Short mmCIF file of all heavy atoms in Angstrom, two decimals:
data_model
loop_
_atom_site.label_atom_id
_atom_site.label_comp_id
_atom_site.label_asym_id
_atom_site.label_seq_id
_atom_site.Cartn_x
_atom_site.Cartn_y
_atom_site.Cartn_z
N PRO S 1 -12.79 -5.53 -2.03
CA PRO S 1 -13.70 -4.43 -1.57
C PRO S 1 -13.26 -3.86 -0.14
O PRO S 1 -12.57 -4.78 0.62
CB PRO S 1 -15.12 -5.11 -1.51
CG PRO S 1 -14.90 -6.20 -2.52
CD PRO S 1 -13.53 -6.63 -2.45
N PRO S 2 -13.56 -2.69 0.19
CA PRO S 2 -13.00 -2.19 1.49
C PRO S 2 -13.58 -2.84 2.59
O PRO S 2 -14.70 -3.41 2.64
CB PRO S 2 -13.32 -0.78 1.37
CG PRO S 2 -14.65 -0.71 0.45
CD PRO S 2 -14.40 -1.81 -0.47
N GLY S 3 -12.78 -2.73 3.78
CA GLY S 3 -13.38 -3.24 5.07
C GLY S 3 -14.42 -2.40 5.56
O GLY S 3 -14.93 -1.41 4.97
N SER S 4 -14.83 -2.64 6.82
CA SER S 4 -16.04 -1.98 7.36
C SER S 4 -15.77 -0.35 7.65
O SER S 4 -16.70 0.39 7.62
CB SER S 4 -16.41 -2.56 8.64
OG SER S 4 -15.18 -2.56 9.66
N ASP S 5 -14.51 0.05 7.74
CA ASP S 5 -14.20 1.43 7.94
C ASP S 5 -14.08 2.21 6.68
O ASP S 5 -13.88 3.41 6.71
CB ASP S 5 -12.88 1.58 8.87
CG ASP S 5 -11.66 0.89 8.15
OD1 ASP S 5 -11.90 0.04 7.25
OD2 ASP S 5 -10.49 1.28 8.60
N GLY S 6 -14.14 1.39 5.48
CA GLY S 6 -13.84 2.25 4.21
C GLY S 6 -12.50 2.76 4.01
O GLY S 6 -11.56 2.37 4.74
N GLY S 7 -12.35 3.57 3.13
CA GLY S 7 -11.07 4.30 2.81
C GLY S 7 -10.19 3.23 2.12
O GLY S 7 -10.48 2.16 1.76
N LEU S 8 -8.89 3.58 2.05
CA LEU S 8 -7.83 2.78 1.45
C LEU S 8 -6.98 2.10 2.50
O LEU S 8 -6.55 2.71 3.42
CB LEU S 8 -6.84 3.64 0.50
CG LEU S 8 -5.61 2.97 -0.07
CD1 LEU S 8 -6.02 1.76 -0.97
CD2 LEU S 8 -4.78 4.01 -0.68
N GLU S 9 -7.03 0.72 2.45
CA GLU S 9 -6.22 -0.06 3.43
C GLU S 9 -5.24 -0.78 2.48
O GLU S 9 -5.39 -1.46 1.53
CB GLU S 9 -7.16 -1.14 4.03
CG GLU S 9 -6.33 -2.03 5.04
CD GLU S 9 -7.36 -2.85 5.67
OE1 GLU S 9 -8.45 -3.32 5.15
OE2 GLU S 9 -6.95 -3.36 6.83
N LEU S 10 -3.77 -0.60 3.03
CA LEU S 10 -2.61 -1.22 2.31
C LEU S 10 -2.00 -2.18 3.31
O LEU S 10 -1.59 -1.71 4.34
CB LEU S 10 -1.68 -0.21 1.82
CG LEU S 10 -0.43 -0.71 1.20
CD1 LEU S 10 -0.87 -1.51 -0.10
CD2 LEU S 10 0.52 0.42 0.73
N LEU S 11 -2.05 -3.45 2.77
CA LEU S 11 -1.41 -4.46 3.68
C LEU S 11 -0.28 -5.16 2.83
O LEU S 11 -0.48 -5.08 1.59
CB LEU S 11 -2.37 -5.60 4.16
CG LEU S 11 -3.66 -5.09 4.93
CD1 LEU S 11 -4.60 -6.06 5.04
CD2 LEU S 11 -3.21 -4.48 6.20
N SER S 12 0.73 -5.71 3.41
CA SER S 12 1.76 -6.34 2.74
C SER S 12 2.17 -7.70 3.26
O SER S 12 2.34 -7.69 4.65
CB SER S 12 2.99 -5.48 2.68
OG SER S 12 4.10 -6.09 1.88
N THR S 13 2.39 -8.65 2.50
CA THR S 13 2.99 -9.96 2.92
C THR S 13 4.31 -10.11 2.41
O THR S 13 4.89 -11.14 2.58
CB THR S 13 2.15 -11.10 2.40
OG1 THR S 13 2.10 -11.11 1.05
CG2 THR S 13 0.66 -11.09 2.95
N VAL S 14 4.86 -9.16 1.73
CA VAL S 14 6.23 -9.21 1.19
C VAL S 14 7.20 -8.71 2.23
O VAL S 14 7.15 -7.85 3.01
CB VAL S 14 6.35 -8.14 0.01
CG1 VAL S 14 7.59 -8.22 -0.71
CG2 VAL S 14 5.07 -8.27 -0.98
N SER S 15 8.33 -9.50 2.16
CA SER S 15 9.39 -9.37 3.18
C SER S 15 10.16 -8.11 2.89
O SER S 15 10.18 -7.60 1.65
CB SER S 15 10.32 -10.60 3.17
OG SER S 15 11.11 -10.53 1.89
N GLU S 16 10.73 -7.43 3.85
CA GLU S 16 11.50 -6.34 3.66
C GLU S 16 12.67 -6.48 2.76
O GLU S 16 13.14 -5.50 2.16
CB GLU S 16 12.14 -6.00 5.13
CG GLU S 16 12.84 -4.61 5.27
CD GLU S 16 12.06 -3.35 5.36
OE1 GLU S 16 10.94 -3.40 5.61
OE2 GLU S 16 12.76 -2.35 5.17
N GLN S 17 13.29 -7.63 2.70
CA GLN S 17 14.33 -7.87 1.74
C GLN S 17 13.90 -7.87 0.35
O GLN S 17 14.63 -7.48 -0.65
CB GLN S 17 14.93 -9.35 1.98
CG GLN S 17 15.58 -9.43 3.20
CD GLN S 17 14.75 -9.83 4.44
OE1 GLN S 17 13.65 -10.11 4.26
NE2 GLN S 17 15.28 -9.36 5.63
N ARG S 18 12.60 -8.22 -0.06
CA ARG S 18 12.07 -8.11 -1.42
C ARG S 18 11.59 -6.77 -1.73
O ARG S 18 11.48 -6.32 -2.93
CB ARG S 18 11.11 -9.16 -1.51
CG ARG S 18 11.61 -10.59 -1.60
CD ARG S 18 10.73 -11.62 -2.03
NE ARG S 18 10.16 -11.52 -3.40
CZ ARG S 18 10.84 -11.80 -4.62
NH1 ARG S 18 12.03 -12.20 -4.51
NH2 ARG S 18 10.29 -11.66 -5.53
N LEU S 19 10.90 -6.05 -0.71
CA LEU S 19 10.27 -4.76 -0.88
C LEU S 19 10.36 -3.97 0.27
O LEU S 19 9.66 -4.02 1.16
CB LEU S 19 8.90 -4.80 -1.29
CG LEU S 19 8.10 -3.57 -1.68
CD1 LEU S 19 8.77 -2.87 -2.80
CD2 LEU S 19 6.66 -3.93 -1.88
N PRO S 20 11.47 -3.02 0.36
CA PRO S 20 11.67 -2.27 1.62
C PRO S 20 10.60 -1.46 1.97
O PRO S 20 9.87 -0.89 1.15
CB PRO S 20 12.97 -1.50 1.23
CG PRO S 20 13.57 -2.29 0.17
CD PRO S 20 12.48 -2.90 -0.64
N ALA S 21 10.24 -1.20 3.42
CA ALA S 21 9.16 -0.41 3.83
C ALA S 21 9.20 1.06 3.29
O ALA S 21 8.25 1.73 3.34
CB ALA S 21 9.08 -0.54 5.18
N GLU S 22 10.44 1.49 2.99
CA GLU S 22 10.53 2.92 2.52
C GLU S 22 9.82 3.23 1.20
O GLU S 22 9.50 4.32 0.97
CB GLU S 22 12.08 3.25 2.31
CG GLU S 22 12.63 2.56 1.06
CD GLU S 22 14.14 2.79 0.81
OE1 GLU S 22 14.89 2.15 1.47
OE2 GLU S 22 14.53 3.61 0.04
N PHE S 23 9.39 2.17 0.43
CA PHE S 23 8.53 2.39 -0.74
C PHE S 23 7.03 2.36 -0.58
O PHE S 23 6.26 2.63 -1.39
CB PHE S 23 8.98 1.35 -1.79
CG PHE S 23 10.30 1.53 -2.22
CD1 PHE S 23 11.26 0.54 -2.09
CD2 PHE S 23 10.84 2.64 -2.86
CE1 PHE S 23 12.59 0.63 -2.59
CE2 PHE S 23 12.20 2.88 -3.30
CZ PHE S 23 12.97 1.86 -3.17
N LEU S 24 6.65 1.86 0.62
CA LEU S 24 5.25 1.65 0.95
C LEU S 24 4.47 3.17 0.79
O LEU S 24 3.35 3.19 0.32
CB LEU S 24 4.98 1.02 2.27
CG LEU S 24 5.52 -0.44 2.22
CD1 LEU S 24 5.17 -1.08 3.59
CD2 LEU S 24 4.80 -1.30 1.19
N PRO S 25 5.03 4.21 1.38
CA PRO S 25 4.28 5.36 1.31
C PRO S 25 4.06 5.77 -0.04
O PRO S 25 2.95 6.37 -0.38
CB PRO S 25 5.14 6.36 2.11
CG PRO S 25 5.98 5.62 3.11
CD PRO S 25 6.15 4.28 2.41
N ALA S 26 5.05 5.72 -1.02
CA ALA S 26 4.88 5.94 -2.40
C ALA S 26 3.82 5.11 -3.07
O ALA S 26 2.95 5.61 -3.81
CB ALA S 26 6.10 5.87 -3.13
N ILE S 27 3.77 3.76 -2.74
CA ILE S 27 2.74 2.93 -3.15
C ILE S 27 1.39 3.39 -2.71
O ILE S 27 0.47 3.43 -3.46
CB ILE S 27 3.05 1.49 -2.76
CG1 ILE S 27 4.36 0.92 -3.49
CG2 ILE S 27 1.89 0.48 -3.07
CD1 ILE S 27 4.74 -0.38 -2.96
N ARG S 28 1.21 3.68 -1.45
CA ARG S 28 -0.02 4.06 -0.81
C ARG S 28 -0.54 5.42 -1.64
O ARG S 28 -1.73 5.46 -2.08
CB ARG S 28 -0.06 4.43 0.64
CG ARG S 28 -1.23 5.06 1.13
CD ARG S 28 -1.04 5.27 2.72
NE ARG S 28 -1.12 3.99 3.29
CZ ARG S 28 -2.32 3.45 3.64
NH1 ARG S 28 -3.37 3.82 3.28
NH2 ARG S 28 -2.23 2.44 4.41
N GLU S 29 0.42 6.36 -1.74
CA GLU S 29 0.11 7.67 -2.47
C GLU S 29 -0.38 7.40 -3.96
O GLU S 29 -1.38 7.98 -4.42
CB GLU S 29 1.19 8.53 -2.58
CG GLU S 29 1.04 9.99 -3.00
CD GLU S 29 2.29 10.85 -3.03
OE1 GLU S 29 3.01 10.78 -2.08
OE2 GLU S 29 2.52 11.51 -4.08
N GLY S 30 0.34 6.69 -4.59
CA GLY S 30 -0.06 6.13 -5.99
C GLY S 30 -1.44 5.36 -6.10
O GLY S 30 -2.21 5.75 -6.91
N LEU S 31 -1.57 4.58 -5.20
CA LEU S 31 -2.94 3.87 -5.13
C LEU S 31 -4.04 4.79 -4.87
O LEU S 31 -5.15 4.75 -5.56
CB LEU S 31 -2.93 2.71 -4.06
CG LEU S 31 -2.01 1.54 -4.33
CD1 LEU S 31 -1.96 0.68 -3.05
CD2 LEU S 31 -2.65 0.76 -5.45
N ALA S 32 -3.88 5.65 -3.99
CA ALA S 32 -4.92 6.71 -3.68
C ALA S 32 -5.25 7.56 -4.98
O ALA S 32 -6.39 7.75 -5.18
CB ALA S 32 -4.51 7.57 -2.44
N GLN S 33 -4.27 8.04 -5.62
CA GLN S 33 -4.39 8.81 -6.84
C GLN S 33 -5.13 7.92 -7.85
O GLN S 33 -5.98 8.33 -8.55
CB GLN S 33 -3.10 9.34 -7.30
CG GLN S 33 -3.28 10.34 -8.35
CD GLN S 33 -1.93 11.03 -8.67
OE1 GLN S 33 -0.93 10.84 -8.07
NE2 GLN S 33 -1.95 11.96 -9.57
N GLY S 34 -4.63 6.76 -8.11
CA GLY S 34 -5.13 5.86 -9.13
C GLY S 34 -6.55 5.46 -8.85
O GLY S 34 -7.36 5.33 -9.88
N LEU S 35 -6.88 5.25 -7.64
CA LEU S 35 -8.32 4.82 -7.35
C LEU S 35 -9.34 5.97 -7.37
O LEU S 35 -10.56 5.78 -7.36
CB LEU S 35 -8.36 4.13 -6.02
CG LEU S 35 -7.66 2.71 -5.89
CD1 LEU S 35 -7.47 2.28 -4.42
CD2 LEU S 35 -8.64 1.69 -6.68
N GLY S 36 -8.77 7.13 -7.30
CA GLY S 36 -9.68 8.42 -7.35
C GLY S 36 -10.87 8.50 -6.47
O GLY S 36 -11.97 8.81 -6.87
N GLY S 37 -10.61 8.20 -5.11
CA GLY S 37 -11.63 8.24 -4.19
C GLY S 37 -12.38 7.00 -4.00
O GLY S 37 -13.28 7.05 -3.17
N VAL S 38 -12.12 5.93 -4.67
CA VAL S 38 -12.81 4.71 -4.51
C VAL S 38 -12.01 3.86 -3.44
O VAL S 38 -10.86 3.79 -3.49
CB VAL S 38 -12.91 3.83 -5.81
CG1 VAL S 38 -13.35 2.43 -5.52
CG2 VAL S 38 -13.67 4.56 -6.91
#
């Protein structure tokens, strides 16, 4: 469930060697679309 500020919050515990930060904006965009405003 969302934090007190609401909205979409994306956090990562994955190292840069396993998942480069360059892919995080695409993940955030896809999540926002998939969640449809939730």
